[in-house]
Amino acid sequence: MTYKHKKIEKKWQKKWEEDKIYKAEKSDAEKFFALIEFPYPSGAGLHVGHPRSFTAMDILSRKRRMEGYNVLFPIGWDAFGLPTENYAIKTGIRPEEATKKNVANFKRQLKSLGLSFDWDREINTTDPEYYKWTQWIFLQLLKNDLAYQDEMPINWCPSCKIGLANEEVIDHKCERCGEEVVQKNQKQWMLKITDYADRLIEDLDKVNYLEKIKKQQKEWIGRSEGTEISFPVKNLDKEIEVFTTRPDTIFGVTALVLAPGHELVNQIITDKQSQKVKDYIKKSKRKSEFERTKLDKEKTGVFTGSYCLNPINNKKIPIWIGDYVVASYGGGAVMVVPAHDQRDYEFAKEYGIEIKEVIHGENSNLDEEAYTESGKLVNSGDFNDLDSEEAKEKITKFLKEKGVAKKTIKYKLRDWVFSRQHYWGEPIPVVHCEECGVVPLPEEELPLKLPYIERYEPTDSGESPLANIENWVKTKCPKCGGPAKRETDTMPNWAGSNWYYLRYCDPHNDKEIASKENMEYWMPVDWYNGGMEHTTLHLLYSRFIYKALYDFGIVPQSEPYKKRTAHGMILAEDGRKMSKSLGNVINPDDIVKEFGADTLRVYEMFMGPFDQAIEWSQDGVKGVRRFLSRVWSLVKENSTKESSEEALKKIHRLTKRVDQDIEEMKFNTAISGCMEFVNFAYKNKKKVGKDVLEKLLLLLAPFAPHITEELWHDLSKEKSIHLQDWPEYDPKLIKKEEFVLIIQINGKLRDKFKVKTGISKEEAKELVLQRNKIKSKIKDKKIKKIIYVPNKLMNLVI
Ligand code: ANZ
Ligand code: ZN
């Protein structure tokens, strides 16, 4: 009679698989495409963070199936990349072998959780049948001028011997190994994501992402509208271009600061200042850009000895060099307005540069800090008394007519470095011909398979290990037949993951990336959940690729994901990040073994608000297990024929709550609602009958699929609980008898009290006017109007 998870979980997993109840097939029903971030099959196996996101989307998928949707909930493996390559280098085990082993382990683990994936659609980015299409996408980008080669100063990790994208450099260190990154020039494949910058911002209006995720997307793109102004250098026939978002402050410019790498530095320094400037530049080179541009960092600089002229009034302005100015943004020079920019303010305080007020606002206090808001112009000649916004326009127009300014838009987003000098990635399908230059491989020759090699270490020259395989590199040009060399760079990890959702629509198609009918039926993804660590780059890159494919006429819409949410991280019991070296890792296998998959699932959904980071608690796990045991014995021991009115009302209220909570990803409150109900049922066994318990099982089925299936069959049901209809609630039964009436006077909250649901305006008015608090406010004033919102509030206008 007691709940033994081991007996039932394997049994039902097998049955579901045999009956293929989670298989997705195109039909006339409305579809629902639920997506999780497909995992990287590392040697360490699944960690407890994976099931948090996977279970959440599993719950949604199961609920949608019960609601009658045709659900696609697929799974696959994002398996190219450095961890496996490094493992191969260390152990001599081939990356394919390691991947195969890791995938098998992950698969066993995921299956033990009872997730309702359609395993027939499993994909693997390292499978040539998959990466054929990753390479094909590259050829489309190349054909449409969105891929090009360029000599680029790249972030180079001397330890991994690899070029890194900016995003892979954290605190100026390699994201993977922690080594200090250096700059190195290398010819790289680039993708022109900057062409899509505006659309990637604008189209955020079309999708339903968490606000904070939209914000991240916008900030990474960093669109900034402003004015470019030239300042002529004194005694030199040159101009310095600065980019500013605040042309209204131009009368307040008291210095110009150039980035240490600015091209005019050498021509500008005077003999007297020469040594000082050179020393300064040498010192700042040692600091990373991150270190130099941090907002709270000390602002340092050195005077060049030269001056320029302010184009608005020909005033002489000293030119400085300072490393808080970024070389690669906005021309690498700024006009310093200490009174109205905080960084400039600190810089000016440090070096005794004049702080000149030109914008005045009510709360400006220049003795303490810069006044950075807009306001009225002062000390600004003909432009005095204008508002900032108007002044921006007028000053820009004035300077434009003089030919010394123009409006521009700058972006922080850079083109995407798409080459890696590594073995374990997709080969880039082009050859370099002596006669014809870069020639793409004909599409029929795809996939271009990774050749077999003995050693995976990158070469010391920084080329990929593929460069060492002479008979692979040497090839014929597909265009002229002459001698040519294969490209030896491979693609970054992002290449396989920026379009994987598309392949799920038609994973076995060997003619097309996916058929039109399949894409039209399944795309876009209806709900995508994953970690916040992927809501900047992976999201941006995959949106870009999808838009490009849309422009090429390949996919049916311009945005791949309708909705995107994110879960919080699971921390160790000690509040730190789980990590092998700290010895605080929880292995999901252990929890499944000891307490069962249902306990793990319900616990991870119950542990706290879904979007927040939360600490693991073994006591919490035990508590959830006790809850499931109670559900078990409630159903097993039940002998009540008819449920009481109270029990009925409670289960209908619970139905409404669980239904809404799942939609809002408030899984924890959905579960606590079920717990409250189970407590009630336990204390009132005579009042809770089979009909009510059936409903409870249906509500719990998406959370705890095994135990509910077992108990469902105990109640002599034939068909799987997961193929039942999602329960509905009767609004009449959940109507509250009382509500709190809010009373306002002239819109201000003055009193509140409980009254009967459904009372009329007249009845309510009578009660309200008897309240002391209200009487004392109204006294002899006249009530002009009464606004009554039934079952909510009454506002008296006096
Ligand atoms: C004068 C000024 C006055 C500015 C003022 C701001 C406030 P966003 O919005 O990020 O584009 N800037 C321009 N180029 C820079 C560079 N290479 N490194 C560091 N800072 C740079 O910021 C644009 C503003 O950042 C520009 O407007 C410039 O300072 C600074 F009251 O110009 B501003
Ligand atoms: Zn050729």
Side-chain angles (χ1 to χ4, degrees):
M1 272 303 258
T2 52
Y3 169 38
K4 295 207 178 79
H5 62 270
K6 277 191 191 141
K7 270 205 169 145
I8 60 169
E9 293 189 347
K10 281 271 141 1
K11 177 179 87 181
W12 288 114
Q13 284 161 17
K14 202 164 146 252
K15 177 89 171 109
W16 297 331
E17 201 164 323
E18 278 164 14
D19 295 352
K20 293 200 177 286
I21 67 170
Y22 307 128
K23 191 170 169 54
E25 258 161 327
K26 248 183 11 202
S27 75
D28 294 334
E30 199 175 329
K31 64 96 184 181
F32 180 76
F33 186 171
L35 187 67
I36 49 150
E37 285 163 349
F38 62 160
Y40 190 92
S42 72
L46 207 68
H47 60 74
V48 288
H50 289 117
R52 198 174 191 197
S53 167
F54 297 179
T55 306
M57 288 317 286
D58 190 48
I59 289 168
L60 275 154
S61 296
R62 287 176 182 279
K63 178 169 184 268
R64 286 289 181 277
R65 279 192 205 97
M66 292 170 88
E67 287 169 335
Y69 286 85
N70 186 16
V71 171
L72 173 57
F73 185 39
I75 177 78
W77 316 103
D78 183 18
F80 270 133
L82 273 185
T84 305
E85 177 162 317
N86 288 339
Y87 177 78
I89 291 171
K90 222 166 71 192
T91 61
I93 297 171
R94 299 190 52 74
E96 302 87 303
E97 289 308 311
T99 299
K100 220 165 126 188
K101 202 180 97 216
N102 294 343
V103 163
N105 186 42
F106 262 70
K107 204 163 163 173
R108 173 190 64 73
Q109 291 187 296
L110 289 181
K111 287 197 167 179
S112 81
L113 295 174
L115 297 160
S116 64
F117 293 128
D118 176 1
W119 285 96
D120 290 346
R121 290 177 186 252
E122 180 181 350
I123 57 173
N124 183 327
T125 56
T126 65
D127 177 355
E129 286 313 306
Y130 180 91
Y131 71 65
K132 170 180 177 174
W133 299 105
T134 312
Q135 292 173 327
W136 181 82
I137 290 174
F138 182 85
L139 292 183
Q140 310 312 308
L141 294 166
L142 190 61
K143 204 157 72 181
N144 288 280
D145 293 325
L146 289 174
Y148 63 98
Q149 273 190 302
D150 200 5
E151 187 83 25
M152 284 289 294
I154 59 158
N155 305 300
W156 177 255
C157 171
S159 155
C160 296
K161 290 176 187 155
I162 190 174
L164 301 169
N166 283 340
E167 311 77 78
E168 294 168 305
V169 181
I170 312 284
D171 277 13
H172 222 63
K173 296 199 174 76
C174 172
E175 180 192 50
R176 298 153 207 266
C177 75
E179 180 82 19
E180 187 87 8
V181 168
V182 298
Q183 299 284 304
K184 177 175 163 165
N185 270 325
Q186 188 143 341
K187 209 162 189 191
Q188 299 278 345
W189 281 99
M190 310 283 295
L191 297 188
K192 238 187 246 169
I193 189 171
T194 50
D195 274 12
Y196 284 73
D198 283 333
R199 277 166 70 193
L200 286 166
I201 294 174
E202 283 155 20
D203 287 356
L204 287 172
D205 289 342
K206 293 188 194 162
V207 292
N208 176 10
Y209 296 174
L210 293 181
E211 246 349 280
K212 62 180 173 183
I213 296 178
K214 286 191 181 181
K215 194 163 157 246
Q216 276 182 332
Q217 297 276 294
K218 284 182 196 155
E219 279 174 2
W220 190 265
I221 298 166
R223 183 190 152 105
S224 173
E225 287 180 30
T227 307
E228 216 166 63
I229 304 174
S230 352
F231 286 69
V233 182
K234 235 181 151 220
N235 306 325
L236 186 73
D237 191 17
K238 294 276 177 197
E239 269 137 29
I240 295 170
E241 310 277 350
V242 308
F243 172 69
T244 179
T245 47
R246 296 292 304 271
D248 54 318
T249 65
I250 192 160
F251 285 90
V253 178
T254 52
L256 233 58
V257 177
L258 312 184
H262 194 279
E263 53 179 13
L264 286 182
V265 167
N266 284 330
Q267 298 173 57
I268 281 174
I269 32 178
T270 57
D271 291 344
K272 195 170 147 248
Q273 291 297 94
S274 174
Q275 200 49 45
K276 268 196 199 150
V277 173
K278 281 181 182 145
D279 289 347
Y280 178 80
I281 292 177
K282 217 162 124 197
K283 227 168 79 195
S284 84
K285 263 200 182 138
R286 267 184 254 134
K287 294 188 244 172
S288 69
E289 181 166 297
F290 176 80
E291 214 181 322
R292 286 189 271 113
T293 52
K294 259 201 333 208
L295 273 180
D296 53 358
K297 211 65 206 173
E298 237 180 279
K299 308 286 174 291
T300 64
V302 59
F303 178 46
T304 61
S306 291
Y307 293 86
C308 63
L309 297 175
N310 190 334
I312 198 90
N313 57 8
N314 284 329
K315 246 189 100 172
K316 203 170 107 181
I317 293 168
I319 306 174
W320 287 64
I321 291 177
D323 63 12
Y324 72 99
V325 176
V326 185
S328 59
Y329 186 69
V334 300
M335 57 183 229
V336 175
V337 186
H340 305 295
D341 180 286
Q342 189 57 27
R343 291 165 305 179
D344 295 348
Y345 184 86
E346 287 160 28
F347 184 72
K349 281 270 178 200
E350 183 68 33
Y351 295 103
I353 293 167
E354 189 192 351
I355 299 175
K356 182 177 166 197
E357 179 182 50
V358 291
I359 307 290
H360 189 76
E362 249 173 59
N363 43 1
S364 78
N365 177 8
L366 294 179
D367 293 334
E368 292 287 328
E369 57 182 8
Y371 175 74
T372 58
E373 290 157 52
S374 25
K376 267 216 168 8
L377 268 69
V378 294
N379 300 321
S380 296
D382 294 346
F383 299 92
N384 276 343
D385 294 329
L386 290 177
D387 281 330
S388 289
E389 284 318 307
E390 208 184 339
K392 276 184 192 176
E393 292 302 319
K394 293 221 159 122
I395 288 175
T396 300
K397 190 164 166 255
F398 176 81
L399 293 172
K400 212 167 131 189
E401 275 159 13
K402 279 179 72 179
V404 293
K406 63 169 195 269
K407 278 193 175 172
T408 60
I409 298 168
K410 302 273 181 206
Y411 300 87
K412 301 229 158 64
L413 184 69
R414 295 281 166 268
D415 276 345
W416 174 13
V417 181
F418 203 67
S419 300
R420 297 293 182 274
Q421 293 70 44
H422 270 267
Y423 175 71
W424 195 228
E426 301 86 349
I428 293 176
V430 303
V431 304
H432 300 271
C433 167
E434 285 164 22
E435 292 296 319
C436 322
V438 170
V439 181
L441 280 194
E443 288 178 14
E444 315 80 76
E445 284 183 32
L446 300 182
L448 171 62
K449 288 195 189 164
L450 262 175
Y452 184 91
I453 58 167
E454 292 295 335
R455 298 175 58 81
Y456 314 103
E457 283 88 345
T459 63
D460 285 337
S461 67
E463 283 180 293
S464 108
L466 295 177
N468 284 338
I469 321 174
E470 217 177 300
N471 61 2
W472 184 80
V473 174
K474 263 170 94 179
T475 184
K476 275 197 193 123
C477 170
K479 208 158 148 192
C480 72
K485 280 182 167 177
R486 286 192 196 280
E487 171 63 59
T488 60
D489 279 358
T490 54
M491 298 184 200
N493 208 195
W494 313 100
S497 62
N498 61 40
W499 71 279
Y500 72 113
Y501 45 88
L502 203 54
R503 190 65 179 167
Y504 283 138
C505 300
D506 198 3
H508 309 298
N509 192 332
D510 58 3
K511 305 271 178 321
E512 299 162 282
I513 191 164
S515 75
K516 265 234 140 54
E517 308 85 78
N518 273 305
M519 285 194 278
E520 266 160 20
Y521 180 69
W522 291 113
M523 286 301 290
V525 170
D526 292 277
W527 197 326
Y528 189 12
N529 184 73
M532 280 307 283
E533 68 277 19
H534 295 303
T535 48
T536 310
L537 295 162
H538 161 63
L539 202 60
L540 195 69
Y541 291 162
S542 55
R543 291 179 61 223
F544 158 57
I545 291 295
Y546 200 73
K547 283 188 185 311
L549 293 176
Y550 173 69
D551 291 348
F552 308 157
I554 293 160
V555 299
Q557 318 82 4
S558 63
E559 282 287 338
Y561 320 117
K562 257 196 201 165
K563 177 168 182 157
R564 166 78 200 206
T565 51
H567 57 270
M569 239 191 342
I570 296 183
L571 304 170
E573 213 147 3
D574 58 14
R576 292 187 288 186
K577 232 175 136 163
M578 284 192 195
S579 96
K580 249 196 190 153
S581 58
L582 292 171
N584 58 7
V585 177
I586 302 280
N587 184 342
D589 280 347
D590 298 338
I591 307 295
V592 170
K593 216 165 130 200
E594 191 176 347
F595 302 98
D598 284 337
T599 297
L600 176 64
R601 294 170 57 111
V602 174
Y603 171 65
E604 291 211 3
M605 294 298 101
F606 179 61
M607 64 195 301
F610 185 65
D611 59 347
Q612 283 166 34
I614 208 95
E615 287 155 25
W616 186 267
S617 153
Q618 203 68 9
D619 286 341
V621 175
K622 289 178 190 155
V624 165
R625 167 70 197 209
R626 269 196 303 278
F627 161 64
L628 291 180
S629 298
R630 290 187 115 187
V631 174
W632 178 271
S633 48
L634 258 187
V635 177
K636 288 278 188 189
E637 291 161 15
N638 176 263
S639 60
T640 304
K641 289 257 152 30
E642 216 173 300
S643 302
S644 71
E645 167 105 7
E646 188 187 8
L648 275 177
K649 277 186 179 164
K650 278 202 190 302
I651 196 75
H652 279 262
R653 244 176 244 155
L654 181 66
T655 304
K656 182 177 179 200
R657 175 158 178 194
V658 171
D659 185 86
Q660 282 179 354
D661 284 354
I662 291 178
E663 295 306 317
E664 292 166 24
M665 298 194 123
K666 291 180 184 159
F667 304 107
N668 56 330
T669 56
I671 294 166
S672 62
C674 293
M675 288 173 166
E676 276 164 31
F677 180 83
V678 167
N679 285 342
F680 162 80
Y682 230 72
K683 283 192 209 125
N684 300 280
K685 283 189 181 154
K686 293 246 147 55
K687 293 186 184 167
V688 178
K690 209 171 134 181
D691 52 333
V692 163
L693 290 178
E694 272 173 22
K695 276 216 152 135
L696 176 69
L697 290 180
L698 289 168
L699 294 175
L700 279 172
F703 295 86
H706 310 87
I707 186 175
T708 50
E709 182 82 306
E710 177 74 19
L711 294 173
W712 186 252
H713 287 264
D714 271 356
L715 295 172
S716 52
K717 305 282 182 186
E718 299 273 308
K719 225 169 85 183
S720 167
I721 191 168
H722 304 297
L723 301 174
Q724 305 301 319
D725 289 344
W726 182 246
E728 284 176 7
Y729 55 86
D730 181 350
K732 285 206 289 290
L733 279 174
I734 63 169
K735 248 220 214 122
K736 289 224 179 92
E737 270 104 52
E738 280 184 333
F739 73 100
V740 176
L741 178 67
I742 307 229
I743 308 156
Q744 298 175 333
I745 295 179
N746 294 340
K748 271 211 178 102
L749 175 69
R750 291 302 179 197
D751 196 6
K752 53 185 173 185
F753 63 100
K754 269 193 186 167
V755 292
K756 217 167 72 235
T757 304
I759 59 167
S760 69
K761 185 174 175 178
E762 281 311 311
E763 287 172 293
K765 181 181 160 193
E766 207 167 298
L767 292 171
V768 165
L769 294 179
Q770 283 165 21
R771 309 279 299 177
N772 286 336
K773 276 193 196 164
I774 302 300
K775 278 198 263 181
S776 70
K777 284 276 169 217
I778 298 181
K779 288 189 188 132
D780 51 0
K781 294 193 194 94
K782 207 179 139 218
I783 301 176
K784 284 196 210 141
K785 204 169 143 193
I786 297 179
I787 300 154
Y788 182 56
V789 185
N791 298 331
K792 210 170 189 163
L793 72 80
M794 176 166 280
N795 182 17
L796 309 173
V797 182
I798 62 173

